[in-house]
Amino acid sequence: MNEDLKGNVSRLPRDYLDARAAENVSAAASSQVPVVEPEPELVVNPWDIVLCTSGTLISCENAIVVLIIFHNPSLRAPMFLLIGSLALADLLAGIGLIINFVFAYLLQSEATKLVTIGLIVASFSASVCSLLAITVDRYLSLYYALTYHSERTVTFTYVMLIMLWGTSICLGLLPILGWNCLRDESTCSVVRPLTKNNAAILSISFLFMFALMLQLYIQICKIVMRHAHQIALQHHFLATSHYVTTRKGVSTLAIILGTFAACWMPFTLYSLIADYTYPSIYTYATLLPATYNSIINPVIYAFRNQEIQKALCLICCGCVPSSLSQRARSPSDV
């Protein structure tokens, strides 16, 4: 029987035997080679693109203000130092948003998450603190109008700058030094890797500073109205002129404070009541307006200033328009 089987096999065509052997070899080889699965496509969150675009606009806009103040020795008064501090803080915030986008999709690690969130927290904290310092400076410039330009004011300004940047840097270092939720997700806030306690401290601090700014702006409004009334009596202005000037000053202050509240209040209140279990779309929807505040700040505090307008015109066209050089400051310019 075996001899017949061998005979039958020997009578098969040689090409058939070679083909069968090749199939067996390829099958054995394919069983040993691991199957390489295609890499998943990188999906980019549209909200992250919007935040990165916002950060780019913030960086470009505030970089102009920083360069103007840095390259003009005449802009060294306390007011311009504080405006420069605000622009620098917003510039760092914009850079932080850009870095966050790059690291989130190209270089993901715990270290990059902590560094990025630390930079964003420190820069936005410095921005809000700079707004408070500008409000304090405006109040002092009106309340102590005769002694405002003394050395004591300059020293006080430097003290404020050191305190606000020191506090902001400390707040930014907290996640890096271990106050984060990377090891315990249940303690996460709406912004990972910040803990809910950390977010609550930041939110309560913001509400406190907003209340202080509101009180200061109410006092500034009273001083502006009193000054406008005195100027109207001295120059025998009509009551309507006094009313228009006062209304303009109060409207300016209302726009400044209202813009600040509209940008930051939604995210502040949401951070207090929500945690990591809430949908991320709510976090994006409330955080995005907060970034818009850094876009609006240069328009309100820098580009409306007459001296900065002159410096910008000199850089752009090499001349100062006559409308700027002849413009007088009024009580409504607060």
Side-chain angles (χ1 to χ4, degrees), residues 87-280:
L88 178 61
D90 288 334
L91 172 61
L92 294 176
I95 294 175
L97 292 175
I98 298 173
I99 294 176
N100 179 67
F101 179 83
V102 174
F103 283 171
Y105 294 99
L106 299 180
L107 188 61
Q108 297 182 2
S109 66
E110 292 186 358
T112 56
K113 288 181 181 179
L114 295 176
V115 171
T116 304
I117 197 65
L119 175 60
I120 293 176
V121 169
S123 55
F124 276 123
S125 298
S127 177
V128 174
C129 291
S130 295
L131 291 176
L132 177 60
I134 291 174
T135 307
V136 173
D137 179 75
R138 286 181 169 180
Y139 172 76
L140 294 177
S141 67
L142 293 173
Y143 192 81
Y144 300 102
L146 297 178
T147 59
Y148 172 74
H149 297 283
S150 62
E151 288 293 331
R152 182 179 301 177
T153 303
V154 177
T155 304
F156 180 72
T157 301
Y158 280 113
V159 171
M160 281 198 301
L161 289 174
I162 293 173
M163 290 180 61
L164 74 88
W165 278 101
T167 303
S168 301
I169 292 174
C170 290
L171 291 174
L173 288 175
L174 288 179
I176 301 175
L177 296 177
W179 204 359
N180 58 70
C181 63
L182 292 177
R183 299 291 181 268
D184 186 6
E185 188 178 5
S186 62
T187 61
C188 284
S189 66
V190 294
V191 179
R192 300 181 185 180
L194 288 182
T195 64
K196 188 166 178 58
N197 291 335
N198 196 343
I201 291 175
L202 293 174
S203 300
I204 294 173
S205 300
F206 169 82
L207 293 175
F208 173 77
M209 286 188 288
F210 176 76
L212 186 56
M213 289 175 63
L214 179 61
Q215 180 62 28
L216 287 173
Y217 273 123
I218 291 174
Q219 298 301 319
I220 290 174
C221 284
K222 293 180 180 179
I223 296 174
V224 168
M225 289 187 290
R226 185 168 65 249
H227 285 185
H229 180 68
Q230 292 174 353
I231 294 174
L233 293 178
Q234 291 175 1
H235 295 82
H236 305 287
F237 288 162
L238 297 176
T240 55
S241 176
H242 165 248
Y243 172 74
V244 170
T245 304
T246 304
R247 186 181 63 180
K248 183 181 178 182
V250 174
S251 300
T252 302
L253 295 177
I255 291 173
I256 292 173
L257 195 62
T259 301
F260 177 66
C263 290
W264 276 105
M265 198 63 71
F267 180 72
T268 301
L269 297 178
Y270 179 71
S271 299
L272 283 175
I273 63 175
D275 56 21
Y276 74 100
T277 59
Y278 283 61
S280 60

Side-chain angles (χ1 to χ4, degrees), residues 302-316:
F303 297 137
R304 288 178 64 250
N305 185 274
Q306 184 177 352
E307 298 300 324
I308 294 180
Q309 289 177 5
K310 291 180 181 179
L312 185 60
C313 290
L314 285 173
I315 294 175
C316 295

